[in-house]
Amino acid sequence: GFWAFPNDVAFHSTGDFFALDTGNNRLQRLRHPDLSFRAVFDLPTGSGPGDVDGPRGLAIDDQDRIIISDTLNDRILVCELINFEQDLDCTPFGSSGSAPGKFNRPIGVDVDALGRIWIADSMNHRIQVCDDAGNCTAFGEFGDFEVTSDTAEGDNSEGPGRFNTPHDV
């Protein structure tokens, strides 16, 4: 089908890949290497448990669970393929806010070898590392590079862990 603002792709253990079709609020599964469609998963728009609003980031963990950043709902969805891999069952974690486990426009997601979910919490200007139940550790703070007359390096640019709206991890 037609794509509208595709944002991210992730590879499944079968070799297929999933593509996040943000503008159509859907996830598409394509066969590798011929790129034929295997399945289209419509993601209902809204704020209910399986709904999404502006999904932007996509990752697949070593258990083939699909992780989606539900950007405008300020949360993360952990989804499993069900019904012979024709449907998704998604469980959300997180909500709006600035404490660990709370998000403000999460965008990029990735999963490391230990199964931890890494999230670019863009408008909180930080990175969060979470387990699949939503227990998170946040690190980072706002930093920008604004050259002024009294500094050539920028006002808030010094020191590690400074971010200005991170979009990916």
Side-chain angles (χ1 to χ4, degrees):
F2 290 99
W3 296 80
F5 307 109
N7 265 300
D8 211 349
V9 297
F11 289 89
H12 190 264
S13 67
T14 62
D16 290 349
F17 72 93
F18 286 76
L20 190 58
D21 187 3
T22 298
N24 289 316
N25 267 359
R26 65 183 178 192
L27 187 65
Q28 298 195 41
R29 183 176 184 173
L30 294 94
R31 186 180 320 272
H32 179 76
D34 66 359
L35 303 181
S36 61
F37 286 96
R38 292 201 61 201
V40 174
F41 304 92
D42 290 318
L43 304 170
T45 302
S47 59
D51 299 343
V52 297
D53 192 3
R56 296 278 303 271
L58 178 66
I60 297 178
D61 69 10
D62 65 354
Q63 298 174 46
D64 284 334
R65 294 181 300 180
I66 299 164
I67 317 299
I68 300 170
S69 65
D70 187 5
T71 303
L72 298 179
N73 283 324
D74 294 325
R75 65 185 181 183
I76 304 299
L77 300 177
V78 179
C79 306
E80 296 192 38
L81 293 167
I82 57 171
N83 299 337
F84 305 104
E85 301 188 344
Q86 296 300 309
D87 290 310
L88 287 177
D89 180 30
C90 299
T91 303
F93 73 79
S95 60
S96 298
S98 60
K102 305 250 183 212
F103 302 97
N104 187 354
R105 301 303 187 251
I107 296 179
V109 295
D110 207 347
V111 179
D112 67 17
L114 299 175
R116 298 176 298 191
I117 302 168
W118 292 73
I119 303 152
D121 189 5
S122 69
M123 296 308 291
N124 278 327
H125 308 288
R126 65 184 180 186
I127 304 295
Q128 293 203 55
V129 183
C130 307
D131 64 18
D132 59 1
N135 301 304
C136 302
T137 300
F139 64 92
E141 61 185 332
F142 179 72
D144 69 356
F145 189 80
E146 182 179 318
V147 176
T148 63
S149 60
D150 60 336
T151 177
E153 295 182 10
D155 290 336
N156 294 315
S157 64
E158 293 183 28
R162 302 252 181 184
F163 300 97
N164 188 344
T165 59
H167 281 76
D168 208 354
V169 288

